[in-house]
Amino acid sequence: MTEAEPVPAAVPNATDSNGTEVLNATAKFVATPEGTALAYGSLVVMALLPIFFGALRSVTCSKSKNSADAPETITSRDAARFPIIASCTLFGLYLFFKVFSQEYINLLLSVYFFVLGVLALAHTMSPAMSRIFPESFPNKQYQLLFTQGSGESKEEIVNYEFDTKNLVCLLISSVVGVWYLLKKHWIANNVFGLAFALNGVELLHLNNVSTGCILLGGLFIYDVFWVFGTNVMVTVAKSFEAPIKLVFPQDLLEKGLEASNFAMLGLGDIVIPGIFIALLLRFDVSLKKNSRTYFYSSFLAYIFGLGLTIFVMHTFKHAQPALLYLVPACVGFPVVVALCKGELTEMFSYESSEEVLPASPRITSFPTVSGSPASLAASMETMATGSSPRHRRVLPTSM
């Protein structure tokens, strides 16, 4: 979902820096054309970054020899169930906000997403840190192990392997996390949001194009229904104080970093098309033609779809289900390209899961966390979405 909060015809109340509504009986903020253009342009750029770099990292991730850092794969069965699970989660949150105090719910969520955000940001920073540190840096290995029971019945709950570089990343990420926890500043929100989105695109792999079409088609209906059919999506998005959306103030030019009237874009509108675009990049690589035709066509399609979403939202002054425009564009453009090149059958027969390591057992309860910071962040993000895709290796995000 994407929305411009402060436009008077669309939303009668402004919002403060925490995303809560503030009644304004005397005057309503009217965004300037410059402020609106800056906000929309910034949201588009922020949406493109995790898709582009996450897709590139997904290629490396799929070829990883380390089973702990390998991605999880969504199958067609998972894709078919995901819109139902997402709908139940969304409506459950809506009821929680109606029944219980919003303050206490958001306090609990803030602590949870603090931990989740620190891990996701640390994983995002890890490759850069590995290049920054010199080879002579004393990089010691550590292991955090929690078990349950004793003897033959002993079961691992957490088996977390990390090194000194990971600790540096966690320390830097923790500073951002404390800033977010204490101030709920929109920049800290976006840093975590971008980390979640990049992790999602990198680590969550569709097994084939057909599965991608099932997932995008189901969430197309999900997004349209919950935005146009009810007020549930908009209510939860405004009440939910967590970095599950990217925001940018339309009054930045007037108020600077303390601006408070935001346009927003849900992370689901980035990650869901993003994992499909990443799949097409891996398909490009599998063709071994030294071209990225399908990746670039789907990437341009995403830009077109998001631009159309913003145009319609700005014209009608109403929150829009971004997947209404993104899904036809991101699926339609590559299919047309494949038809023109005579590679449609080859595209739909491509199996991404053939390039990754063999499947591991399905997660049916609280997951055993094993491996590196990447695997821990991935496991926790899977838990955050209320779904449990087949553990053939990352993490879904919706809303």
Side-chain angles (χ1 to χ4, degrees):
M1 183 196 73
T2 183
E3 179 185 2
E5 293 184 350
V7 179
V11 180
N13 300 328
T15 60
D16 64 13
S17 58
N18 291 329
T20 54
E21 292 190 351
V22 180
L23 295 177
N24 189 346
T26 58
K28 296 174 182 177
F29 173 79
V30 179
T32 63
E34 295 82 3
T36 300
L38 178 61
Y40 290 159
S42 299
L43 285 179
V44 171
V45 171
M46 286 192 291
L48 295 178
L49 289 175
I51 291 178
F52 186 84
F53 291 105
L56 293 178
R57 288 173 60 156
S58 78
V59 175
T60 305
C61 181
S62 67
K63 298 176 180 179
S64 174
K65 301 300 182 182
N66 187 347
S67 60
D69 293 339
E72 294 182 24
T73 300
I74 292 183
T75 65
S76 57
R77 180 185 177 190
D78 300 320
R81 293 189 309 172
F82 191 83
I84 300 173
I85 296 172
S87 295
C88 294
T89 303
L90 179 66
F91 190 64
L93 286 170
Y94 176 78
L95 293 179
F96 266 98
F97 281 116
K98 289 294 184 182
V99 174
F100 300 102
S101 170
Q102 179 176 322
E103 179 183 355
Y104 294 114
I105 296 175
N106 280 318
L107 178 62
L108 180 63
L109 291 172
S110 295
V111 174
Y112 179 72
F113 277 95
F114 163 78
V115 177
L116 190 60
V118 167
L119 292 170
L121 185 56
H123 175 220
T124 303
M125 296 167 53
S126 183
M129 283 296 177
S130 297
R131 288 190 291 268
I132 291 174
F133 283 103
E135 294 184 3
S136 59
F137 182 79
N139 191 35
K140 297 182 179 180
Q141 300 293 321
Y142 303 93
Q143 183 179 30
L144 184 63
L145 179 64
F146 287 96
T147 61
Q148 176 179 296
S150 60
E152 295 182 357
S153 63
K154 183 181 292 186
E155 179 184 0
E156 286 186 1
I157 302 300
V158 173
N159 186 357
Y160 183 40
E161 299 172 1
F162 55 98
D163 55 29
T164 307
K165 294 177 182 178
N166 297 141
L167 287 177
V168 174
C169 292
L170 285 171
L171 179 61
I172 297 173
S173 302
S174 298
V175 173
V176 179
V178 171
W179 180 28
Y180 169 76
L181 196 62
L182 297 179
K183 298 295 184 181
K184 294 294 192 304
H185 198 277
W186 60 273
I187 294 180
N189 173 92
N190 288 346
V191 170
F192 275 168
L194 289 170
F196 289 146
L198 190 144
N199 276 269
V201 176
E202 175 189 358
L203 298 173
L204 183 58
H205 288 195
L206 296 164
N207 64 348
N208 55 48
V209 173
S210 297
T211 298
C213 293
I214 293 171
L215 179 66
L216 267 66
L219 290 176
F220 172 92
I221 298 172
Y222 158 88
D223 213 20
V224 171
F225 172 77
W226 289 112
V227 173
F228 285 152
T230 71
N231 69 336
V232 171
M233 179 80 80
V234 176
T235 301
V236 172
K238 288 183 177 181
S239 304
F240 205 85
E241 292 182 14
I244 58 166
K245 57 195 175 189
L246 299 180
V247 298
F248 199 90
Q250 299 190 63
D251 55 345
L252 180 68
L253 300 177
E254 291 81 11
K255 297 182 179 179
L257 296 180
E258 299 304 317
S260 57
N261 292 277
F262 297 103
M264 72 171 70
L265 178 66
L267 292 189
D269 300 326
I270 301 173
V271 175
I272 299 304
I275 61 176
F276 187 74
I277 294 172
L279 171 68
L280 293 177
L281 175 59
R282 297 193 298 277
F283 172 60
D284 277 324
V285 173
S286 73
L287 294 176
K288 299 177 181 176
K289 295 182 178 180
N290 199 28
S291 68
R292 301 292 182 263
T293 305
Y294 295 101
F295 171 66
Y296 289 128
S297 63
S298 58
F299 191 74
L300 291 174
Y302 182 85
I303 296 175
F304 170 77
L306 189 57
L308 182 60
T309 304
I310 292 173
F311 172 77
V312 174
M313 179 184 64
H314 185 68
T315 301
F316 293 98
K317 304 295 187 293
H318 189 279
Q320 295 295 312
L323 294 182
L324 173 64
Y325 310 95
L326 292 173
V327 169
C330 291
V331 174
F333 278 42
V335 167
V336 171
V337 171
L339 281 172
C340 295
K341 297 184 68 176
E343 296 176 340
L344 187 63
T345 302
E346 192 171 0
M347 184 174 77
F348 274 87
S349 62
Y350 167 70
E351 289 287 337
S352 177
S353 57
E354 293 176 357
E355 299 181 3
V356 299
L357 298 173
S360 58
R362 185 183 186 90
I363 296 178
T364 56
S365 60
F366 188 86
T368 296
V369 179
S370 178
S372 67
S375 60
L376 179 56
S379 298
M380 292 192 67
E381 285 197 62
T382 302
M383 293 161 56
T385 61
S387 69
S388 127
R390 293 189 184 276
H391 196 63
R392 282 190 229 148
R393 318 276 188 234
V394 131
L395 46 251
T397 318
S398 182
M399 198 182 307

